[in-house]
Amino acid sequence: NAGVMQNPRHLVRRRGQEARLRCSPMKGHSHVYWYRQLPEEGLKFMVYLQKENIIDESGMPKERFSAEFPKEGPSILRIQQVVRGDSAAYFCASSPSRGEAFFGQGTRLTVV
Amino acid sequence: QKEVEQDPGPLSVPEGAIVSLNCTYSNSAFQYFMWYRQYSRKGPELLMYTYSSGNKEDGRFTAQVDKSSKYISLFIRDSQPSDSATYLCAMSARADNNNDMRFGAGTRLTVKP
Protein backbone atom coordinates (compact mmCIF):
# COMPACT_ATOMS: atom_id res chain seq x y z
CA ASN A 1 0.00 0.00 0.00
CA ALA A 2 1.73 3.10 -1.22
CA GLY A 3 1.89 6.02 1.15
CA VAL A 4 0.73 9.55 0.50
CA MET A 5 2.30 10.66 -2.76
CA GLN A 6 3.14 14.27 -3.41
CA ASN A 7 4.56 15.71 -6.58
CA PRO A 8 6.62 17.38 -7.56
CA ARG A 9 9.11 17.02 -4.71
CA HIS A 10 10.76 20.28 -5.67
CA LEU A 11 9.23 23.16 -7.58
CA VAL A 12 10.86 26.40 -8.64
CA ARG A 13 8.71 29.25 -9.83
CA ARG A 14 9.42 32.85 -10.74
CA ARG A 15 7.49 35.58 -8.99
CA GLY A 16 4.08 35.99 -10.59
CA GLN A 17 3.82 32.43 -11.92
CA GLU A 18 1.39 29.78 -10.74
CA ALA A 19 2.34 26.79 -8.62
CA ARG A 20 0.34 23.55 -8.64
CA LEU A 21 1.04 20.99 -5.96
CA ARG A 22 -0.46 17.52 -6.19
CA CYS A 23 -1.33 15.02 -3.50
CA SER A 24 -2.56 11.47 -3.97
CA PRO A 25 -3.86 10.15 -0.64
CA MET A 26 -3.33 6.63 0.60
CA LYS A 27 -5.68 4.05 -0.84
CA GLY A 28 -8.99 4.15 0.96
CA HIS A 29 -8.41 7.61 2.44
CA SER A 30 -11.02 10.22 1.64
CA HIS A 31 -9.81 13.02 3.95
CA VAL A 32 -6.94 15.26 2.84
CA TYR A 33 -5.18 18.02 4.75
CA TRP A 34 -2.64 20.55 3.51
CA TYR A 35 -0.02 22.15 5.76
CA ARG A 36 2.76 24.66 5.19
CA GLN A 37 6.11 24.51 6.95
CA LEU A 38 8.40 27.51 7.00
CA PRO A 39 12.04 27.27 8.18
CA GLU A 40 12.26 27.28 11.99
CA GLU A 41 8.47 27.16 12.24
CA GLY A 42 6.10 24.32 12.85
CA LEU A 43 3.53 22.98 10.48
CA LYS A 44 0.61 25.30 9.94
CA PHE A 45 -2.74 23.94 8.86
CA MET A 46 -4.10 25.37 5.62
CA VAL A 47 -7.11 23.42 4.39
CA TYR A 48 -9.06 20.21 5.00
CA LEU A 49 -10.94 18.53 2.16
CA GLN A 50 -13.05 15.51 1.54
CA LYS A 51 -13.93 14.31 -1.92
CA GLU A 52 -15.40 17.29 -3.81
CA ASN A 53 -15.85 19.30 -0.60
CA ILE A 54 -13.82 21.85 1.31
CA ILE A 55 -14.50 21.18 4.98
CA ASP A 56 -12.24 23.77 6.63
CA GLU A 57 -10.15 26.40 4.86
CA SER A 58 -9.57 28.59 7.89
CA GLY A 59 -5.79 28.37 7.56
CA MET A 60 -5.56 29.25 3.93
CA PRO A 61 -4.83 32.82 2.79
CA LYS A 62 -7.90 34.40 1.19
CA GLU A 63 -6.00 35.65 -1.82
CA ARG A 64 -4.14 33.61 -4.45
CA PHE A 65 -4.53 30.21 -2.73
CA SER A 66 -7.09 27.56 -3.63
CA ALA A 67 -7.49 23.83 -3.12
CA GLU A 68 -9.59 21.08 -4.59
CA PHE A 69 -10.07 17.34 -4.18
CA PRO A 70 -12.08 16.12 -7.17
CA LYS A 71 -14.04 12.91 -7.33
CA GLU A 72 -11.31 11.43 -9.49
CA GLY A 73 -7.65 12.25 -9.27
CA PRO A 74 -5.35 13.89 -6.75
CA SER A 75 -5.93 16.84 -4.51
CA ILE A 76 -4.44 20.05 -5.90
CA LEU A 77 -3.16 23.05 -3.97
CA ARG A 78 -2.90 25.99 -6.32
CA ILE A 79 -0.99 29.19 -5.64
CA GLN A 80 -1.47 31.97 -8.16
CA GLN A 81 0.97 34.83 -8.73
CA VAL A 82 3.52 33.42 -6.32
CA VAL A 83 5.66 35.74 -4.19
CA ARG A 84 8.94 35.07 -2.36
CA GLY A 85 7.06 34.64 0.91
CA ASP A 86 5.32 31.56 -0.53
CA SER A 87 8.62 29.68 -0.50
CA ALA A 88 8.12 26.82 1.95
CA ALA A 89 7.60 23.10 2.26
CA TYR A 90 3.99 22.08 1.65
CA PHE A 91 2.83 18.83 3.17
CA CYS A 92 -0.25 16.86 2.43
CA ALA A 93 -1.71 14.31 4.84
CA SER A 94 -4.57 11.87 4.45
CA SER A 95 -6.75 9.85 6.78
CA PRO A 96 -9.52 7.29 6.25
CA SER A 97 -11.89 9.20 8.52
CA ARG A 98 -11.11 11.49 11.45
CA GLY A 99 -8.28 9.34 12.77
CA GLU A 100 -4.53 9.48 12.42
CA ALA A 101 -3.32 11.36 9.38
CA PHE A 102 -0.36 10.10 7.37
CA PHE A 103 1.93 12.63 5.78
CA GLY A 104 3.50 12.72 2.37
CA GLN A 105 7.12 13.71 1.80
CA GLY A 106 6.24 17.24 0.90
CA THR A 107 6.77 19.62 -1.99
CA ARG A 108 9.46 22.21 -1.54
CA LEU A 109 8.48 25.37 -3.35
CA THR A 110 11.11 27.97 -4.11
CA VAL A 111 10.08 31.29 -5.58
CA VAL A 112 12.86 33.17 -7.33
CA GLN B 1 3.20 34.73 22.37
CA LYS B 2 2.94 31.57 20.28
CA GLU B 3 0.31 29.03 21.22
CA VAL B 4 2.94 26.28 21.32
CA GLU B 5 6.56 26.95 22.23
CA GLN B 6 9.33 24.49 21.47
CA ASP B 7 13.06 25.07 21.69
CA PRO B 8 14.41 24.45 18.16
CA GLY B 9 17.78 23.29 19.45
CA PRO B 10 19.84 21.90 17.87
CA LEU B 11 20.40 19.22 20.47
CA SER B 12 23.38 16.88 20.19
CA VAL B 13 23.86 13.88 22.47
CA PRO B 14 26.10 10.79 22.52
CA GLU B 15 24.64 7.41 21.68
CA GLY B 16 22.99 5.82 24.71
CA ALA B 17 22.07 9.11 26.38
CA ILE B 18 18.62 9.93 27.70
CA VAL B 19 17.04 12.70 25.66
CA SER B 20 14.43 15.09 26.99
CA LEU B 21 12.35 17.16 24.56
CA ASN B 22 9.80 19.67 25.78
CA CYS B 23 7.00 21.96 24.75
CA THR B 24 4.93 24.52 26.59
CA TYR B 25 1.57 25.84 25.52
CA SER B 26 -0.84 28.58 26.43
CA ASN B 27 -4.26 27.24 25.42
CA SER B 28 -5.84 25.38 28.35
CA ALA B 29 -8.39 23.82 25.98
CA PHE B 30 -5.77 21.47 24.55
CA GLN B 31 -6.56 17.90 25.60
CA TYR B 32 -4.74 15.77 23.02
CA PHE B 33 -0.99 15.78 22.69
CA MET B 34 1.15 14.28 19.98
CA TRP B 35 4.80 13.88 19.15
CA TYR B 36 5.91 13.56 15.54
CA ARG B 37 9.30 12.56 14.22
CA GLN B 38 10.47 14.10 10.97
CA TYR B 39 13.58 12.85 9.22
CA SER B 40 15.40 15.24 6.92
CA ARG B 41 13.49 15.87 3.67
CA LYS B 42 10.65 13.60 4.79
CA GLY B 43 7.14 14.10 6.11
CA PRO B 44 6.30 13.91 9.82
CA GLU B 45 5.28 10.54 11.27
CA LEU B 46 3.24 10.11 14.44
CA LEU B 47 5.33 8.78 17.29
CA MET B 48 3.21 9.16 20.41
CA TYR B 49 -0.38 10.18 21.15
CA THR B 50 -1.64 10.97 24.64
CA TYR B 51 -4.82 12.30 26.13
CA SER B 52 -4.92 14.68 29.10
CA SER B 53 -2.34 14.47 31.87
CA GLY B 54 -0.15 11.49 32.65
CA ASN B 55 2.51 9.28 31.15
CA LYS B 56 2.55 6.94 28.21
CA GLU B 57 5.38 4.57 27.39
CA ASP B 58 6.18 2.86 24.10
CA GLY B 59 9.49 1.04 23.96
CA ARG B 60 12.29 3.54 24.46
CA PHE B 61 9.89 6.49 24.25
CA THR B 62 7.90 8.03 27.10
CA ALA B 63 5.50 10.94 26.71
CA GLN B 64 4.51 13.03 29.71
CA VAL B 65 1.78 15.62 29.97
CA ASP B 66 1.39 18.07 32.85
CA LYS B 67 -1.72 20.08 32.11
CA SER B 68 -1.46 22.11 35.30
CA SER B 69 1.86 23.50 34.08
CA LYS B 70 0.91 23.40 30.39
CA TYR B 71 4.06 21.41 29.75
CA ILE B 72 4.67 18.24 27.77
CA SER B 73 7.79 16.13 27.40
CA LEU B 74 9.14 13.31 25.30
CA PHE B 75 11.91 11.16 26.75
CA ILE B 76 14.05 8.87 24.62
CA ARG B 77 16.02 6.23 26.50
CA ASP B 78 19.17 4.60 25.15
CA SER B 79 19.20 7.00 22.22
CA GLN B 80 20.44 5.67 18.88
CA PRO B 81 21.90 7.42 15.83
CA SER B 82 18.71 6.42 14.01
CA ASP B 83 16.81 8.70 16.41
CA SER B 84 18.50 11.70 14.77
CA ALA B 85 15.60 13.73 13.41
CA THR B 86 13.44 16.75 14.14
CA TYR B 87 10.79 16.14 16.79
CA LEU B 88 7.58 18.15 16.59
CA CYS B 89 5.07 18.43 19.37
CA ALA B 90 1.45 18.98 18.42
CA MET B 91 -1.76 19.43 20.34
CA SER B 92 -5.46 19.94 19.81
CA ALA B 93 -8.61 20.57 21.79
CA ARG B 94 -10.65 17.86 20.10
CA ALA B 95 -9.95 14.23 19.33
CA ASP B 96 -8.85 13.27 15.85
CA ASN B 97 -9.09 16.81 14.56
CA ASN B 98 -6.14 17.04 12.23
CA ASN B 99 -7.27 20.49 11.12
CA ASP B 100 -7.18 21.81 14.70
CA MET B 101 -3.68 20.68 15.56
CA ARG B 102 -1.16 23.29 16.62
CA PHE B 103 2.48 22.38 16.10
CA GLY B 104 5.65 23.45 17.81
CA ALA B 105 8.57 24.60 15.69
CA GLY B 106 10.38 21.28 16.17
CA THR B 107 13.62 20.36 17.97
CA ARG B 108 16.45 19.06 15.83
CA LEU B 109 18.18 16.13 17.54
CA THR B 110 21.48 14.53 16.58
CA VAL B 111 22.64 11.34 18.29
CA LYS B 112 26.34 10.80 17.74
CA PRO B 113 27.78 7.27 17.58
Side-chain angles (χ1 to χ4, degrees), chain B residues 15-104:
Chain B
E15 183 175 354
I18 296 175
V19 176
S20 172
L21 304 165
N22 312 292
C23 288
T24 59
Y25 62 95
S26 57
N27 188 346
S28 57
F30 289 145
Q31 299 271 8
Y32 302 88
F33 304 92
M34 286 72 69
W35 286 95
Y36 286 83
R37 178 173 60 196
Q38 186 176 18
Y39 290 114
S40 181
R41 301 296 184 186
K42 302 289 186 184
E45 54 179 332
L46 182 64
L47 202 56
M48 299 285 281
Y49 179 97
T50 53
Y51 167 69
S52 196
S53 284
N55 292 2
K56 183 175 182 178
E57 189 173 320
D58 184 0
R60 297 184 294 110
F61 298 89
T62 300
Q64 279 187 356
V65 175
D66 182 350
K67 288 189 66 182
S68 62
S69 304
K70 297 191 180 69
Y71 187 88
I72 70 170
S73 301
L74 178 71
F75 297 96
I76 307 174
R77 289 186 300 280
D78 187 24
S79 56
Q80 303 294 309
S82 58
D83 295 327
S84 298
T86 297
Y87 290 80
L88 301 158
C89 64
M91 44 201 79
S92 67
R94 292 178 289 177
D96 297 333
N97 256 35
N98 297 301
N99 47 316
D100 280 346
M101 282 197 296
R102 298 290 183 265
F103 286 83

Side-chain angles (χ1 to χ4, degrees), chain A residues 8 10-14 17-19 82 108-112:
Chain A
H10 301 274
L11 182 61
V12 179
R13 284 286 177 266
R14 296 185 186 280
Q17 290 185 319
E18 178 180 289
V82 295
R108 278 151 186 84
L109 172 66
T110 302
V111 179
V112 297

